[in-house]
Amino acid sequence: MVCLMSDLDLTPEVAWALATGGPWPDPAGLAGDAHFMALALQEGLKGVGLSSPNPPVGCVLVREGRVLGCGVHTRAGDPHGEIMALRDAEARGEAVRGATAYVTLEPCCHQGRTPPCSQALIQAGVARVVVGVRDPNPRVDGGGLAILRAHGIAVDEGVLGEACARFHAPFFKLIRTGLPWVTLKLALGSDGALGPAGQSTQITPPDIQRLAHALRRASEAIVVGRHTAEVDDPQLTDRWPAPTAPHRIFHRVVMDHAGQVPAQARVWWPIAGQPALRAITGDPEPLKGVEDLRLPPGPQGCSLRHLLHELAARGVGRVLVEGGGTLLQAFLSQGLGDEFHRFQSDQPVGGTPLILGLPPTWHLHTRAQWPGGRWDVLR
């Protein structure tokens, strides 16, 4: 499926859609249940990068075509989207008895750090629940729908099901494999190269680079190789302009198995809420303010699979691998990538063309263009 977006205007809204798995259904072009589920998806987008390891479930409460309340889950341990929507309706002075709840993911039916949402909907007197996709969590997996039906609530599932499943794909992967969703990102010239070896080459213009920061905001960790950290000397910070919640943690990870990146590198500079981690295999000299992740050795330094498990244990549900080419090739060769965001200039940059070896099952999902290049998403 190829969904070509605007030829030109790569806006912040478009960038956020691409970074979160979109484009997403436009509520303005839909009617009935699909319209309100699209609104619930828009609510869910507000929780991306904040709710992991939980899913950013969006919920909208509706009666007679009027929205009574909206909610989204934005922090593990805090109320889920359904509860937030009920609270929003109460704050607006709206009675929800007899209303319909549109939820991007099946309401939970188990007691975790918060009470079950299915029970909250029952107690609120909701008459109907429309669900985008079923929750594969073994503690739910149809149980929430069964409980709702057992209490006489009408249930419909599968409304905008493909979009909701795509939106919650990172959570589904985490539940099924214990591994976070891995987004690969690389900027290439028209010649398929990264630029001359050992030289930092700017391929995308600054305004496109700023929009690419949507990928960092949608993730809880960024990973780069030692060579990228040394040559580009990046800080790897989340600089998406919209403010974020104080609880957000963005892990900056450098694959530096022998501890060769110098102590003065900018990536090690302390930044509140954005800790620097160094993935190592040996026992190099410690760096002040930098946490070492000691991992088993892998084919090219540290074990990437063990790295992902370590990040998942920290509550990371989405990982952005931003370079360089050797590291991306390693993730691809080990079957650890889930999608590839390719920023390709219309101009050659020199150097050796990169052979990435993308999985044969991947296809072009979305393309957005700007004057002088394009942003392709392959899955």
Side-chain angles (χ1 to χ4, degrees):
M1 170 187 171
V2 178
C3 182
L4 294 179
M5 303 192 74
S6 164
D7 275 349
L8 213 116
D9 252 348
L10 185 51
T11 64
E13 292 75 22
V14 169
W16 185 243
L18 295 181
T20 54
W24 304 109
D26 181 3
L30 299 169
D33 288 345
H35 170 78
F36 293 113
M37 186 60 74
L39 290 178
L41 273 169
Q42 287 190 343
E43 283 298 308
L45 287 170
K46 300 174 185 177
V48 175
L50 297 172
S51 67
S52 289
N54 290 353
V57 177
C59 177
V60 174
L61 298 168
V62 178
R63 184 173 50 239
E64 297 177 352
R66 190 166 64 88
V67 173
L68 308 177
C70 304
V72 58
H73 182 52
T74 58
R75 184 178 186 177
D78 283 359
H80 293 179
E82 298 92 325
I83 308 300
M84 296 302 291
L86 291 169
R87 290 182 179 180
D88 183 45
E90 182 180 9
R92 299 186 192 190
E94 299 282 6
V96 301
R97 184 164 296 278
T100 296
Y102 293 85
V103 194
T104 58
L105 184 68
E106 175 184 4
C108 62
C109 56
H110 60 283
Q111 177 71 48
R113 284 189 278 182
T114 58
C117 293
S118 53
Q119 193 61 41
L121 293 173
I122 292 167
Q123 291 175 347
V126 167
R128 180 173 175 243
V129 176
V130 180
V131 173
V133 65
R134 188 171 295 205
D135 188 347
N137 186 337
R139 302 179 72 185
V140 186
D141 197 16
L145 304 181
I147 288 173
L148 293 171
R149 289 184 173 119
H151 283 80
I153 295 176
V155 175
D156 292 290
E157 57 178 308
V159 174
L160 296 187
E162 185 276 334
C164 290
R166 180 161 31 95
F167 178 63
H168 289 301
F171 171 68
F172 292 173
K173 181 189 177 186
L174 190 63
I175 284 292
R176 288 167 174 154
T177 69
L179 296 173
W181 184 265
V182 176
T183 296
L184 310 174
K185 179 246 179 182
L186 207 59
L188 301 166
S190 61
D191 50 4
L194 297 169
Q199 176 180 315
S200 181
T201 304
Q202 180 175 300
I203 297 176
T204 53
D207 57 333
I208 303 304
Q209 291 177 7
R210 283 192 291 272
L211 291 175
H213 271 268
L215 289 166
R216 296 188 184 184
R217 176 55 59 87
S219 308
E220 293 91 31
I222 183 172
V223 180
V224 300
R226 176 184 64 82
H227 184 72
T228 295
E230 289 181 330
V231 174
D232 293 347
D233 195 23
Q235 283 187 283
L236 301 180
T237 49
D238 170 11
R239 299 194 296 276
W240 188 244
T244 189
H247 73 268
R248 170 167 161 81
I249 300 295
F250 183 64
H251 304 80
R252 298 176 294 142
V253 185
V254 178
M255 306 300 295
D256 186 22
H257 70 97
Q260 294 172 275
V261 178
Q264 64 269 25
R266 293 182 351 130
V267 71
W268 307 135
W269 292 2
I271 299 170
Q274 302 185 51
L277 308 177
R278 183 174 63 164
I280 59 174
T281 56
D283 201 17
E285 189 71 23
L287 295 176
K288 184 179 179 180
V290 177
E291 182 179 354
D292 284 335
L293 293 178
R294 286 183 170 79
L295 304 173
Q300 293 172 321
C302 301
S303 166
L304 299 180
R305 185 172 292 274
H306 281 82
L307 169 70
L308 294 177
H309 278 295
E310 285 288 339
L311 292 175
R314 294 167 181 259
V316 171
R318 294 174 183 249
V319 174
L320 173 64
V321 180
E322 200 168 275
T326 300
L327 183 61
L328 263 74
Q329 287 172 322
F331 270 92
L332 286 168
S333 66
Q334 295 175 44
L336 296 175
D338 295 294
E339 63 181 9
F340 177 37
H341 289 249
R342 180 177 60 205
F343 292 76
Q344 190 135 23
S345 170
D346 289 346
Q347 301 297 318
V349 296
T352 305
L354 195 64
I355 300 175
L356 286 172
L358 299 176
T361 55
W362 283 14
H363 60 270
L364 180 62
H365 170 68
T366 310
R367 170 174 292 167
Q369 297 178 333
W370 72 85
R374 65 182 190 268
W375 178 347
D376 289 341
V377 183
L378 299 101
R379 286 182 160 203

